[in-house]
mmCIF file of all heavy atoms in Angstrom:
data_model
loop_
_atom_site.group_PDB
_atom_site.id
_atom_site.type_symbol
_atom_site.label_atom_id
_atom_site.label_comp_id
_atom_site.label_asym_id
_atom_site.label_seq_id
_atom_site.Cartn_x
_atom_site.Cartn_y
_atom_site.Cartn_z
ATOM 1 N N PRO A 64 4.089 -3.767 14.645
ATOM 2 C CA PRO A 64 3.442 -3.397 15.917
ATOM 3 C C PRO A 64 4.396 -2.695 16.885
ATOM 4 O O PRO A 64 3.975 -1.796 17.624
ATOM 5 C CB PRO A 64 2.984 -4.752 16.477
ATOM 6 C CG PRO A 64 2.884 -5.648 15.287
ATOM 7 C CD PRO A 64 3.982 -5.206 14.379
ATOM 8 N N MET A 68 3.721 1.023 18.474
ATOM 9 C CA MET A 68 3.733 1.337 19.903
ATOM 10 C C MET A 68 4.752 2.435 20.223
ATOM 11 O O MET A 68 4.492 3.305 21.064
ATOM 12 C CB MET A 68 4.018 0.069 20.705
ATOM 13 C CG MET A 68 2.829 -0.889 20.740
ATOM 14 S SD MET A 68 3.081 -2.338 21.785
ATOM 15 C CE MET A 68 4.121 -3.342 20.732
ATOM 16 N N ARG A 72 3.996 6.401 21.654
ATOM 17 C CA ARG A 72 4.655 6.914 22.851
ATOM 18 C C ARG A 72 5.651 8.036 22.561
ATOM 19 O O ARG A 72 6.328 8.526 23.458
ATOM 20 C CB ARG A 72 5.358 5.755 23.579
ATOM 21 C CG ARG A 72 4.363 4.816 24.247
ATOM 22 C CD ARG A 72 4.938 3.443 24.521
ATOM 23 N NE ARG A 72 3.991 2.619 25.282
ATOM 24 C CZ ARG A 72 2.922 2.026 24.767
ATOM 25 N NH1 ARG A 72 2.654 2.154 23.475
ATOM 26 N NH2 ARG A 72 2.109 1.303 25.528
ATOM 27 N N ASN A 216 -1.854 4.476 33.239
ATOM 28 C CA ASN A 216 -1.836 3.051 33.537
ATOM 29 C C ASN A 216 -1.691 2.182 32.291
ATOM 30 O O ASN A 216 -1.900 0.976 32.345
ATOM 31 C CB ASN A 216 -3.137 2.658 34.271
ATOM 32 C CG ASN A 216 -3.251 3.341 35.624
ATOM 33 O OD1 ASN A 216 -2.270 3.418 36.363
ATOM 34 N ND2 ASN A 216 -4.450 3.842 35.926
ATOM 35 N N VAL A 217 -1.348 2.811 31.167
ATOM 36 C CA VAL A 217 -1.242 2.045 29.931
ATOM 37 C C VAL A 217 0.008 1.181 29.948
ATOM 38 O O VAL A 217 0.985 1.478 30.611
ATOM 39 C CB VAL A 217 -1.210 2.978 28.699
ATOM 40 C CG1 VAL A 217 -2.460 3.790 28.624
ATOM 41 C CG2 VAL A 217 0.030 3.872 28.715
ATOM 42 N N SER A 218 -0.060 0.097 29.192
ATOM 43 C CA SER A 218 1.083 -0.797 29.054
ATOM 44 C C SER A 218 1.006 -1.458 27.695
ATOM 45 O O SER A 218 -0.044 -1.470 27.042
ATOM 46 C CB SER A 218 1.067 -1.866 30.149
ATOM 47 O OG SER A 218 -0.050 -2.725 29.978
ATOM 48 N N VAL A 219 2.129 -2.013 27.255
ATOM 49 C CA VAL A 219 2.152 -2.710 25.969
ATOM 50 C C VAL A 219 1.161 -3.867 25.985
ATOM 51 O O VAL A 219 0.414 -4.086 25.025
ATOM 52 C CB VAL A 219 3.582 -3.221 25.676
ATOM 53 C CG1 VAL A 219 3.572 -4.146 24.462
ATOM 54 C CG2 VAL A 219 4.532 -2.058 25.460
ATOM 55 N N LYS A 220 1.132 -4.606 27.094
ATOM 56 C CA LYS A 220 0.236 -5.753 27.199
ATOM 57 C C LYS A 220 -1.220 -5.317 27.092
ATOM 58 O O LYS A 220 -2.030 -5.950 26.405
ATOM 59 C CB LYS A 220 0.478 -6.470 28.527
ATOM 60 C CG LYS A 220 -0.365 -7.726 28.711
ATOM 61 C CD LYS A 220 -0.031 -8.408 30.032
ATOM 62 C CE LYS A 220 -0.893 -9.661 30.222
ATOM 63 N NZ LYS A 220 -0.584 -10.343 31.514
ATOM 64 N N LYS A 221 -1.551 -4.206 27.752
ATOM 65 C CA LYS A 221 -2.923 -3.706 27.723
ATOM 66 C C LYS A 221 -3.294 -3.227 26.320
ATOM 67 O O LYS A 221 -4.406 -3.479 25.842
ATOM 68 C CB LYS A 221 -3.089 -2.567 28.729
ATOM 69 C CG LYS A 221 -4.520 -2.039 28.837
ATOM 70 C CD LYS A 221 -4.629 -0.962 29.911
ATOM 71 C CE LYS A 221 -6.057 -0.433 29.999
ATOM 72 N NZ LYS A 221 -6.183 0.633 31.038
ATOM 73 N N ASP A 222 -2.354 -2.536 25.658
ATOM 74 C CA ASP A 222 -2.609 -2.059 24.298
ATOM 75 C C ASP A 222 -2.889 -3.222 23.353
ATOM 76 O O ASP A 222 -3.832 -3.192 22.553
ATOM 77 C CB ASP A 222 -1.407 -1.258 23.783
ATOM 78 C CG ASP A 222 -1.393 0.159 24.339
ATOM 79 O OD1 ASP A 222 -2.375 0.550 24.978
ATOM 80 O OD2 ASP A 222 -0.387 0.863 24.123
ATOM 81 N N LEU A 223 -2.061 -4.255 23.428
ATOM 82 C CA LEU A 223 -2.223 -5.411 22.549
ATOM 83 C C LEU A 223 -3.524 -6.150 22.843
ATOM 84 O O LEU A 223 -4.214 -6.604 21.922
ATOM 85 C CB LEU A 223 -1.030 -6.361 22.703
ATOM 86 C CG LEU A 223 0.290 -5.881 22.103
ATOM 87 C CD1 LEU A 223 1.420 -6.815 22.494
ATOM 88 C CD2 LEU A 223 0.186 -5.775 20.577
ATOM 89 N N LYS A 224 -3.857 -6.252 24.121
ATOM 90 C CA LYS A 224 -5.099 -6.924 24.500
ATOM 91 C C LYS A 224 -6.312 -6.186 23.946
ATOM 92 O O LYS A 224 -7.242 -6.805 23.409
ATOM 93 C CB LYS A 224 -5.181 -7.028 26.026
ATOM 94 C CG LYS A 224 -6.396 -7.806 26.519
ATOM 95 C CD LYS A 224 -6.390 -7.898 28.050
ATOM 96 C CE LYS A 224 -7.631 -8.667 28.547
ATOM 97 N NZ LYS A 224 -7.650 -8.772 30.027
ATOM 98 N N CYS A 225 -6.302 -4.863 24.066
ATOM 99 C CA CYS A 225 -7.410 -4.064 23.530
ATOM 100 C C CYS A 225 -7.495 -4.181 22.015
ATOM 101 O O CYS A 225 -8.592 -4.266 21.441
ATOM 102 C CB CYS A 225 -7.252 -2.599 23.936
ATOM 103 S SG CYS A 225 -7.510 -2.280 25.698
ATOM 104 N N LEU A 226 -6.335 -4.190 21.360
ATOM 105 C CA LEU A 226 -6.321 -4.273 19.899
ATOM 106 C C LEU A 226 -6.925 -5.590 19.424
ATOM 107 O O LEU A 226 -7.780 -5.611 18.536
ATOM 108 C CB LEU A 226 -4.890 -4.130 19.386
ATOM 109 C CG LEU A 226 -4.730 -4.109 17.863
ATOM 110 C CD1 LEU A 226 -5.307 -2.825 17.287
ATOM 111 C CD2 LEU A 226 -3.264 -4.249 17.464
ATOM 112 N N LEU A 227 -6.487 -6.691 20.015
ATOM 113 C CA LEU A 227 -6.957 -8.004 19.580
ATOM 114 C C LEU A 227 -8.413 -8.245 19.959
ATOM 115 O O LEU A 227 -9.091 -9.073 19.345
ATOM 116 C CB LEU A 227 -6.061 -9.094 20.161
ATOM 117 C CG LEU A 227 -4.601 -9.078 19.665
ATOM 118 C CD1 LEU A 227 -3.779 -10.128 20.387
ATOM 119 C CD2 LEU A 227 -4.548 -9.282 18.157
ATOM 120 N N ALA A 228 -8.894 -7.526 20.988
ATOM 121 C CA ALA A 228 -10.298 -7.654 21.372
ATOM 122 C C ALA A 228 -11.217 -6.781 20.515
ATOM 123 O O ALA A 228 -12.442 -6.896 20.609
ATOM 124 C CB ALA A 228 -10.460 -7.276 22.844
ATOM 125 N N PHE A 363 -12.963 0.682 24.535
ATOM 126 C CA PHE A 363 -12.040 0.310 25.609
ATOM 127 C C PHE A 363 -11.465 1.509 26.363
ATOM 128 O O PHE A 363 -10.744 1.347 27.339
ATOM 129 C CB PHE A 363 -10.880 -0.522 25.048
ATOM 130 C CG PHE A 363 -11.328 -1.785 24.369
ATOM 131 C CD1 PHE A 363 -11.271 -1.894 22.989
ATOM 132 C CD2 PHE A 363 -11.815 -2.848 25.108
ATOM 133 C CE1 PHE A 363 -11.692 -3.059 22.348
ATOM 134 C CE2 PHE A 363 -12.243 -4.014 24.471
ATOM 135 C CZ PHE A 363 -12.186 -4.115 23.090
ATOM 136 N N ARG A 365 -9.207 3.621 25.401
ATOM 137 C CA ARG A 365 -7.766 3.779 25.166
ATOM 138 C C ARG A 365 -7.524 3.932 23.674
ATOM 139 O O ARG A 365 -7.944 3.086 22.882
ATOM 140 C CB ARG A 365 -7.006 2.568 25.716
ATOM 141 C CG ARG A 365 -5.583 2.389 25.204
ATOM 142 C CD ARG A 365 -4.660 3.469 25.688
ATOM 143 N NE ARG A 365 -3.287 3.250 25.202
ATOM 144 C CZ ARG A 365 -2.407 4.214 25.013
ATOM 145 N NH1 ARG A 365 -2.735 5.468 25.275
ATOM 146 N NH2 ARG A 365 -1.194 3.947 24.591
ATOM 147 N N ALA A 367 -4.891 3.983 20.707
ATOM 148 C CA ALA A 367 -3.538 3.589 20.299
ATOM 149 C C ALA A 367 -3.495 3.614 18.775
ATOM 150 O O ALA A 367 -3.487 2.578 18.112
ATOM 151 C CB ALA A 367 -3.186 2.214 20.846
ATOM 152 N N LEU A 370 -0.467 1.867 17.000
ATOM 153 C CA LEU A 370 -0.549 0.406 17.079
ATOM 154 C C LEU A 370 -1.654 -0.128 16.179
ATOM 155 O O LEU A 370 -1.492 -1.147 15.513
ATOM 156 C CB LEU A 370 -0.787 -0.023 18.525
ATOM 157 C CG LEU A 370 -0.919 -1.530 18.766
ATOM 158 C CD1 LEU A 370 0.353 -2.250 18.342
ATOM 159 C CD2 LEU A 370 -1.236 -1.814 20.229
#
Side-chain angles (χ1 to χ4, degrees):
M68 287 185 282
R72 288 159 174 77
N216 296 317
V217 300
S218 66
V219 171
K220 183 178 179 180
K221 184 177 179 181
D222 281 352
L223 288 172
K224 184 179 179 180
C225 290
L226 184 69
L227 295 175
F363 301 108
R365 163 68 179 153
L370 179 60

